[in-house]
Amino acid sequence: MGHFPWELEICNACNTNYLFLFLSDPGWTSINRGVLICDECCSVHRSLGRHISIVKHLRHSGWPPALLQMVQTLASNGANSIWEHSLLDPAQVQSGRRKPNPQDKVHPTKSEFIRAKYQMLAFVHKLPCRDDDGVTTKDLSKQLHSSVRTGSLETCLRLLSLGAQANFFHPEKGTTPLHVAAKAGQILQAELLVVYGADPGAPDINGRTPMDYARQAGHIELAERLVECQYELTDRLAFYLCGRRPDHKNGHYIIPQMADSLDLSELAKAAKKKLQALNNRLFEELAMDVYDEVDRRENDAVWLTTQNHSTLVTERSAVPFLPVNPEYSATRNQGRQKLARFNAREFATLIIDILSDAKRRQQGKDPFDLGIDDDQHDYDSVASDEDTDSELTTQNNNNTMDSSDLSDGPITLQEYLEVKKALASSEAKVQQLMKVNNNLSDELRRLQKEVPKPEKHGSGTDSDYDNTQTYDLSLRSGPLQITVHTRISEGGRGESEEGGGGDVGEPDPTLPCTEDVILKTEQVTKNIQELLRAAQEFKHDSFVPCSEKIHSAVTEMASLFPKRPALDAVHCSLRLLASSASRLQVECRKAAPSEPGGPAVDYQLLTQQVIQCAYDIAKAAKQLVTITTREKKQ
């Protein structure tokens, strides 16, 4: 998206001045705090969880224009002073309380300060506590109700930081703050309120929504944006899978489809029935948890493209699963974290089931028409705050399956959670270890532009989604949303839609089946992940056997293709695949103990070379998957 004209190009957590350092800008922002943050501080913000700090990249994430303008306005008008109110007191400086300097270590200095500032709210203005002059939450909410008709965003953010409720229903006025902002045409105030949980579909005393107020006042752009906010969850889920979102004029849902799940098994039908049997509250909780997991995965992808690759990123900068939200039960927090174990295919199947059922629920279709019994057990005990840990353990024991049972269509959520050693946690390590090479960032950006996007069809209609099973080396970012109201509004678009290169013609009949290529690719990546885990754990004696497994998997994958492929792109990718696998074997053999008196092995340099080879193999495999998929679609 290019450079943004921020007036304050400084990390609000550690004072890193990006103008002084001749860098473009801090890179990241915390949307609900209205501050700019650098890479180091961003890793801490992400570990706090979205309930504390909603993190988004300024250039590599998709942004609705109004949301970006809202954040820019807050950052430029001193929103940071709200969170550091008491630190502005000279007495605090004299007492030794200060914010970190750029040269301070992330852990523990910067991380402890960030947690105190945003999680504990240790420096915000404290309200009087005495009963005779204390300000109540209701008083603050009434002030917010009045203030949103103005353009003073920082005033409203200060009220929200003190406890004002974004969904406050004014007993005398019969409206919420979002109704007032919509009537006044204050689109930035509306963005701020939605970020803090305001419901775009909330009725006033006469049953009119904020969208109705905006339309009646002639604020059509604001009305359309509020509709997008109402469907933020399902929009972003759909965009995550297929790169498209509905226009909301011809329909509110896009339901991607898995190519291999058209003929549903009895197991798949049973899973759908259990999902449909969830009451609306539990279904909403599940949908919101999946939304948060999508956001985590998308931020991971952006993180991979934007880091300094000259050094290994430490374990403490990773966010391998959703952080704990203390407002949720232990059972639900455990279930949220287990979502990280889903591989791409499993996670996509769950998202599609949620999208389908969200549409069914809004249309008011009766799930019992599908033959669901009245005493049908809930589909997902993980999403419920009412289930006990013992009940969850019993269900998991009764539903334990071997991962080989996951090959036929969608599966139940309990079965998802029992997938043996799913790859998500190792994927986080893979992403970090791949950051070593100095040129990796530019290469990934170039590759992303070369990946073909799905063809656009009419908005609001179903689309084929036949590439879900591919491992996710492509980088995606974008928005999402559901009719079930979500507390956060994020949106945006990924890269511009481009073709994959080359002229469109007849499909190449010599190319193998896409599914076969994907299966072999998955085997290659599993072996690569094993190698990278060994590298991170300094198990250099595992390098040789790992490289041999990778070479074997690469040979099997290459054997699917003709020896003299018609397409030059296939030939180049196969050559890169084979040469990288051979080079990997050579490098890994260097890890063997040297003879006494021989030269010492530089394991840091060796690890960098090994990871570069592994990356080249993964890149070539991804190119082959992309080419095969594109050619078979023609």
Side-chain angles (χ1 to χ4, degrees):
M1 284 190 175
H3 178 70
F4 295 114
W6 302 101
E7 295 181 16
L8 298 174
E9 303 207 10
I10 186 171
C11 173
N12 294 133
C14 66
N15 284 338
T16 301
N17 191 318
Y18 281 76
L19 286 178
F20 178 75
L21 296 176
F22 304 103
L23 301 178
S24 57
D25 57 51
W28 297 85
T29 181
S30 174
I31 294 176
N32 57 325
R33 304 303 184 181
V35 297
L36 307 181
I37 49 181
C38 64
D39 285 349
E40 285 188 340
C41 295
C42 173
S43 67
V44 181
H45 275 256
R46 291 191 62 206
S47 70
L48 298 179
R50 285 170 52 84
H51 58 288
I52 302 296
S53 182
I54 306 170
V55 173
K56 203 173 184 70
H57 198 275
L58 292 171
R59 296 184 308 280
H60 293 274
S61 298
W63 282 92
L67 182 62
L68 177 60
Q69 187 180 353
M70 185 270 288
V71 173
Q72 179 181 352
T73 301
L74 285 174
S76 300
N77 286 278
N80 188 55
S81 64
I82 295 174
W83 314 108
E84 296 182 358
H85 176 83
S86 65
L87 293 181
L88 301 178
D89 184 355
Q92 297 292 338
V93 177
Q94 295 175 2
S95 67
R97 298 184 69 179
R98 64 171 181 84
K99 65 188 300 182
N101 293 317
Q103 64 269 21
D104 289 334
K105 293 182 178 180
V106 178
H107 301 287
T109 307
K110 291 181 181 178
S111 61
E112 289 181 354
F113 175 79
I114 291 170
R115 291 182 183 277
K117 179 178 176 181
Y118 297 113
Q119 187 172 27
M120 308 305 296
L121 302 182
F123 313 122
V124 300
H125 177 64
K126 299 298 191 296
L127 295 175
C129 299
R130 292 176 296 175
D131 294 336
D132 55 345
D133 60 359
V135 179
T136 66
T137 299
K138 184 176 180 180
D139 295 330
L140 292 169
S141 299
K142 284 187 174 181
Q143 292 181 41
L144 177 67
H145 190 278
S146 176
S147 297
V148 293
R149 71 180 76 249
T150 73
S152 181
L153 277 180
E154 56 273 21
T155 298
C156 293
L157 179 61
R158 189 178 300 276
L159 291 169
L160 290 165
S161 73
L162 295 174
Q165 300 299 303
N167 269 321
F168 173 73
F169 188 85
H170 200 296
E172 291 84 23
K173 308 290 185 180
T175 57
T176 69
L178 192 54
H179 287 94
V180 177
K183 183 177 181 179
Q186 294 290 346
I187 189 168
L188 302 188
Q189 295 282 22
E191 292 285 351
L192 179 62
L193 290 170
V194 170
V195 165
Y196 272 84
D199 184 358
D204 69 357
I205 195 171
N206 297 314
R208 294 184 300 167
T209 67
M211 287 92 80
D212 296 329
Y213 273 67
R215 290 192 185 97
Q216 291 169 5
H219 307 304
I220 305 304
E221 179 184 356
L222 174 54
E224 293 176 349
R225 175 61 185 146
L226 288 173
V227 173
E228 292 177 356
C229 291
Q230 185 176 10
Y231 290 92
E232 162 67 10
L233 194 150
T234 50
D235 279 6
R236 190 169 179 185
L237 290 180
F239 189 86
Y240 176 75
L241 293 184
C242 64
R244 295 173 49 217
R245 66 178 62 83
D247 62 4
H248 297 292
K249 295 178 181 178
N250 300 312
H252 296 304
Y253 296 93
I254 293 177
I255 314 295
Q257 293 181 354
M258 298 272 285
D260 62 346
S261 63
L262 300 179
D263 184 16
L264 296 181
S265 64
E266 291 302 317
L267 182 64
K269 293 177 182 177
K272 287 183 177 294
K273 287 182 179 181
K274 289 183 178 181
L275 176 63
Q276 292 163 347
L278 283 176
N279 62 43
N280 285 339
R281 181 182 68 83
L282 294 181
F283 178 76
E284 179 180 357
E285 288 179 358
L286 174 61
M288 291 167 69
D289 292 345
V290 171
Y291 176 100
D292 288 350
E293 175 63 15
V294 164
D295 183 79
R296 185 193 69 82
R297 295 188 182 206
E298 289 183 336
N299 272 338
D300 271 351
V302 174
W303 185 267
L304 175 60
T305 68
T306 58
Q307 296 310 292
N308 180 356
H309 305 287
S310 60
T311 58
L312 285 173
V313 179
T314 65
E315 179 80 18
R316 302 192 69 173
S317 69
V319 185
F321 47 74
L322 291 175
V324 171
N325 185 337
E327 296 182 1
Y328 298 157
S329 69
T331 302
R332 183 176 177 187
N333 274 311
Q334 291 169 5
R336 284 164 55 86
Q337 293 180 352
K338 288 179 180 178
L339 289 172
R341 297 183 182 178
F342 292 18
N343 62 30
R345 181 177 180 277
E346 295 158 0
F347 193 53
T349 304
L350 176 59
I351 289 176
I352 292 169
D353 286 347
I354 289 175
L355 287 171
S356 300
D357 207 55
K359 181 178 181 181
R360 176 191 67 78
R361 288 170 189 254
Q362 189 199 42
Q363 293 175 344
K365 293 183 179 179
D366 188 356
F368 296 98
D369 290 342
L370 303 175
I372 297 179
D373 298 331
D374 291 341
D375 60 351
Q376 177 68 54
H377 190 276
D378 281 347
Y379 173 79
D380 173 29
S381 61
V382 172
S384 171
D385 282 351
E386 298 174 353
D387 292 334
T388 64
D389 291 340
S390 60
E391 289 172 339
L392 178 64
T393 301
T394 301
Q395 290 179 19
N396 286 342
N397 290 338
N398 293 336
N399 289 282
T400 301
M401 295 179 60
D402 185 84
S403 59
S404 61
D405 293 331
L406 301 179
S407 58
D408 296 326
I411 58 178
T412 66
L413 191 55
Q414 290 97 329
E415 290 155 1
Y416 285 142
L417 300 180
E418 292 304 318
V419 175
K420 292 182 178 180
K421 298 185 183 299
L423 305 178
S425 59
S426 63
E427 286 172 356
K429 297 177 183 178
V430 171
Q431 290 179 357
Q432 292 172 37
L433 286 167
M434 288 171 65
K435 297 170 187 174
V436 175
N437 186 275
N438 289 323
N439 299 322
L440 187 55
S441 180
D442 291 338
E443 179 66 12
L444 281 172
R445 294 192 191 99
R446 184 184 67 79
L447 286 174
Q448 184 180 13
K449 294 179 180 179
E450 294 178 357
V451 176
K453 303 292 183 180
E455 296 181 359
K456 285 192 173 182
H457 303 285
S459 297
T461 59
D462 292 351
S463 67
D464 291 335
Y465 180 62
D466 56 2
N467 198 28
T468 314
Q469 299 177 58
T470 58
Y471 61 99
D472 192 9
L473 284 176
S474 61
L475 307 176
R476 293 175 293 195
S477 61
L480 71 214
Q481 167 105 13
I482 192 175
T483 315
V484 179
H485 172 63
T486 181
R487 62 210 177 282
I488 290 163
S489 170
E490 291 185 322
R493 300 185 179 272
E495 300 292 330
S496 60
E497 300 199 20
E498 301 175 353
D503 298 330
V504 177
E506 294 297 324
D508 187 347
T510 65
L511 291 179
C513 173
T514 303
E515 288 74 14
D516 291 341
V517 177
I518 291 172
L519 288 174
K520 295 300 182 184
T521 300
E522 289 176 344
Q523 187 59 47
V524 171
T525 55
K526 281 184 180 180
N527 293 328
I528 289 176
Q529 287 163 355
E530 182 181 352
L531 172 65
L532 296 180
R533 281 194 295 269
Q536 188 182 41
E537 296 168 2
F538 304 104
K539 296 180 178 178
H540 302 112
D541 55 343
S542 298
F543 278 14
V544 171
C546 286
S547 67
E548 291 175 351
K549 290 181 182 179
I550 293 172
H551 190 275
S552 177
V554 164
T555 302
E556 291 182 10
M557 182 175 182
S559 67
L560 296 175
F561 293 84
K563 292 184 178 181
R564 298 181 180 274
L567 295 176
D568 289 339
V570 174
H571 176 73
C572 292
S573 297
L574 287 171
R575 185 169 57 186
L576 175 62
L577 188 70
S579 62
S580 300
S582 298
R583 187 159 50 92
L584 176 65
Q585 285 189 304
V586 173
E587 295 294 338
C588 287
R589 291 189 186 115
K590 296 178 182 178
S594 58
E595 296 294 332
V601 178
D602 185 346
Y603 284 109
Q604 182 176 3
L605 177 60
L606 174 62
T607 300
Q608 293 182 5
Q609 296 298 326
V610 167
I611 291 174
Q612 178 61 47
C613 293
Y615 169 72
D616 289 340
I617 293 171
K619 180 178 72 173
K622 188 190 79 167
Q623 290 172 347
L624 290 171
V625 171
T626 301
I627 295 169
T628 304
T629 302
R630 184 181 68 231
E631 291 295 319
K632 293 299 182 181
K633 281 183 178 180
Q634 293 181 8

